[in-house]
Amino acid sequence: MEAIRQRHSVRQYTDKPLGEDVIRPLEEEIAACNKESGLHIQLVKNEPKAFDSFMAHYGKFSGVTNYIAMIGKKGPDLEEACGYYGERLVLKAQQLGLNTCWVAMTYSKIRSAFSVGEGEKLCIVISLGYGKTQGVPHKSKAIEKMAKTDGPAPDWFTSGVEAALLAPTAMNQQKFQFTLTDDKVSVRAGVGFYTKIDLGIVRYHFEAGAGKEHFTWA
């Protein structure tokens, strides 16, 4: 939860290289995510070309030479899985003293930098490194607009929604809504770009805030 509160999107990075003290635990977490999810996530290091395009500069990115490539089998669940496990890695990076930003379009696909297997696709990337700043918090919608319950909301549910509201979403749209029925929680994504990735991210945040032991997903 501390990492969730402290982590904000960062687009400008220093030239400080990643040391083994952060690469090793990141690679271990990526391996654990791949084993659990069946994804093909890869850490790309010392690769400056992806963020050296007009679009990257237009998106105000600078100094990006490291990123996480979120890759997996094509299918209806790929984007949500990339959001869920990508955010797990984002928060791991935050705990390691690194900064991150989810990047959907403003980068170039450098095919030699990662491998995409047959039937797989690159879904999205996450820039990674030592930020020139720690970023700034985004504005959040009111909890009442994002959650529905039959009666008074238990503390764990409120904590879960609060954590979800701290999640990064595309253009900070926060297009999601949580519903609690008995001890079953459902979350619905809104309509718009990258809402399935956002759904995976907010699911991870909700679990971190609420505690998995308190509920099951409907």
Side-chain angles (χ1 to χ4, degrees):
M1 283 307 301
E2 189 180 335
I4 282 176
R5 290 188 198 95
Q6 290 181 348
R7 187 266 164 198
H8 311 301
S9 296
V10 171
R11 296 180 179 222
Q12 286 94 38
Y13 298 85
T14 70
D15 57 5
K16 181 181 176 181
L18 301 186
E20 274 303 309
D21 56 327
V22 296
I23 291 173
R24 194 178 304 110
L26 260 182
E27 294 276 24
E28 287 171 358
E29 191 74 1
I30 287 171
C33 287
N34 284 337
K35 186 175 181 182
E36 195 175 304
S37 66
L39 293 171
H40 189 195
I41 306 165
Q42 294 154 56
L43 176 63
V44 179
K45 307 182 292 289
N46 304 319
E47 198 294 285
K49 294 178 187 172
F51 286 85
D52 195 27
S53 66
F54 167 78
M55 283 299 286
H57 295 304
Y58 177 77
K60 296 186 168 58
F61 284 96
S62 68
V64 182
T65 58
N66 311 288
Y67 51 94
I68 298 169
M70 301 300 299
I71 297 165
K73 290 280 186 191
K74 294 175 185 174
D77 300 324
L78 174 61
E79 289 189 354
E80 187 176 337
C82 283
Y84 184 92
Y85 287 97
E87 188 63 9
R88 176 171 154 180
L89 293 168
V90 160
L91 295 173
K92 179 68 175 180
Q94 184 72 30
Q95 290 173 315
L96 292 168
L98 299 171
N99 302 101
T100 53
C101 187
W102 285 88
V103 191
M105 292 176 69
T106 48
Y107 67 94
S108 305
K109 294 176 183 177
I110 308 300
R111 294 295 182 189
S112 58
F114 48 81
S115 62
V116 180
E118 191 172 341
E120 293 181 341
K121 68 176 279 192
L122 172 65
C123 189
I124 196 165
V125 304
I126 300 164
S127 64
L128 184 76
Y130 294 97
K132 288 188 174 179
T133 71
Q134 293 302 305
V136 295
H138 62 249
K139 290 180 181 176
S140 290
K141 294 180 180 177
I143 285 183
E144 306 79 60
K145 290 185 176 180
M146 315 305 289
K148 288 199 304 187
T149 58
D150 289 341
D155 289 345
W156 62 262
F157 182 74
T158 301
S159 295
V161 177
E162 285 174 345
L165 284 167
L166 294 174
T169 56
M171 293 174 283
N172 197 28
Q173 297 170 100
Q174 297 189 323
K175 289 186 175 180
F176 56 85
Q177 186 171 57
F178 289 91
T179 304
L180 175 65
T181 308
D182 299 323
D183 61 349
K184 285 188 165 39
V185 176
S186 61
V187 58
R188 184 170 53 83
V191 177
F193 292 114
Y194 308 109
T195 50
K196 285 186 177 177
I197 290 173
D198 290 349
L199 186 61
I201 295 172
V202 300
R203 268 188 195 270
Y204 191 82
H205 273 236
F206 184 88
E207 287 180 1
K212 288 186 185 180
E213 69 276 10
H214 289 122
F215 74 99
T216 52
W217 289 111

